[in-house]
Amino acid sequence: MNAATRIQVAVSPSAGLFQDMWGIYRKIVDNNYLNHREAYSALRQRLQDQRPGFTFLDIACGDASFSAAALAGLPLGRYVGIDLSQPALDAAAANVAGLPCTTELRHGDFSEWLTAFEEPVDVAWIGLSLHHLPFDKKLDVMHHLRRLVVPSGTLMIYENTRRKLESRAGWMKRWGRQRNHFSKLSGGEWLLVSTHVQCMDYPETASGWRDLGHRAGFGQMREHYRSPANLFRLFSFQT
């Protein structure tokens, strides 16, 4: 979900296209259309009470610029980022170089990579990527994350979220009304982004996210941020 990155997409005929759409997503991030700034501010606030030497797993990290800024000055012991795009990881290497800790960047599809990752983490973070998976695949990912997050650790997600009783189609209608907000995008750029959203996004309700966390073995879920258009929310799940 970081700057100069494409939205993480599931394997599809359009995946290669969206991995190369750096210019469009730079516009989206630079103009804060998906409220990255507020989401990462909420993340940083939530990380203030982490123990010295904590491990941070950044899933679908992109170029890690927002994560690096959120982690700056915190008592981080280890950073691990995973992303599908090698160009994004190349940029991430420079962005996390200033963190005062061990940094590792892994290349791959996070939903597959997590099945083999065995090292415990204190905080796992995933933003605007988990919603690309259907419910059962989301649950698989969250099961793996519950296995990795240590006791007293935290999973945090910033994801597309439907209103109570709202259908996927209803969420999509509200998304479509955002066109004027994305004023720096050309008509063709908006069409590409909206086609991606219509084809690839599967938002859950807050109760749906809570149910996923409960089924995966997490405890309490808390909401920490809600975007102004109420399209995206940031939640934490405790172990």
Side-chain angles (χ1 to χ4, degrees), residues 135 139 142 157 161 164 204-223 226 233 235-237:
F135 188 92
L139 182 57
M142 292 183 73
I157 68 171
T161 303
K164 185 178 181 180
E204 304 292 340
T205 61
S207 61
W209 290 119
R210 183 178 292 106
D211 184 39
L212 282 163
H214 177 74
R215 293 193 193 192
F218 287 98
Q220 182 183 18
M221 183 188 87
R222 292 181 57 198
E223 180 179 320
R226 182 181 304 194
R233 303 188 198 184
F235 301 107
S236 68
F237 300 84

Side-chain angles (χ1 to χ4, degrees), residues 5 8 23 26 34 78 106 127 129 176 183 194 205 207 225 229:
T5 187
Q8 183 88 18
R26 168 56 76 180
L34 301 181
R78 184 183 180 208
R106 312 290 181 86
S129 295
S183 58
S194 288
T205 61
S207 61
Y225 172 71

Side-chain angles (χ1 to χ4, degrees), residues 38-159:
E38 294 83 355
Y40 276 89
S41 177
L43 171 65
R44 180 175 174 81
Q45 183 63 36
R46 187 67 180 81
L47 295 175
Q48 295 298 314
D49 59 355
Q50 286 298 310
R51 65 171 182 82
F54 75 96
T55 297
F56 184 86
L57 175 60
D58 195 359
I59 303 158
C61 64
D63 72 0
S65 57
F66 272 97
S67 293
L71 293 165
L74 299 180
L76 185 65
R78 184 183 180 208
Y79 171 91
V80 181
I82 169 71
D83 201 88
L84 186 63
S85 169
Q86 188 59 54
L89 292 173
D90 293 342
N95 289 325
V96 301
L99 294 176
C101 65
T102 300
T103 61
E104 303 169 34
L105 295 170
R106 312 290 181 86
H107 180 229
D109 182 327
F110 70 80
S111 63
E112 298 175 359
W113 181 82
L114 286 171
T115 65
F117 190 64
E118 298 289 346
E119 301 164 40
V121 301
D122 296 287
V123 179
W125 162 252
I126 182 167
L128 298 183
S129 295
L130 192 55
H131 68 271
H132 291 126
L133 304 176
F135 188 92
D136 60 333
K137 297 299 183 182
K138 292 186 184 83
L139 182 57
D140 288 344
V141 168
M142 292 183 73
H143 269 302
H144 288 300
L145 291 172
R146 178 61 189 90
R147 172 176 55 83
L148 297 173
V149 176
V150 300
S152 76
T154 305
L155 165 65
M156 298 191 70
I157 68 171
Y158 179 55
E159 295 292 346

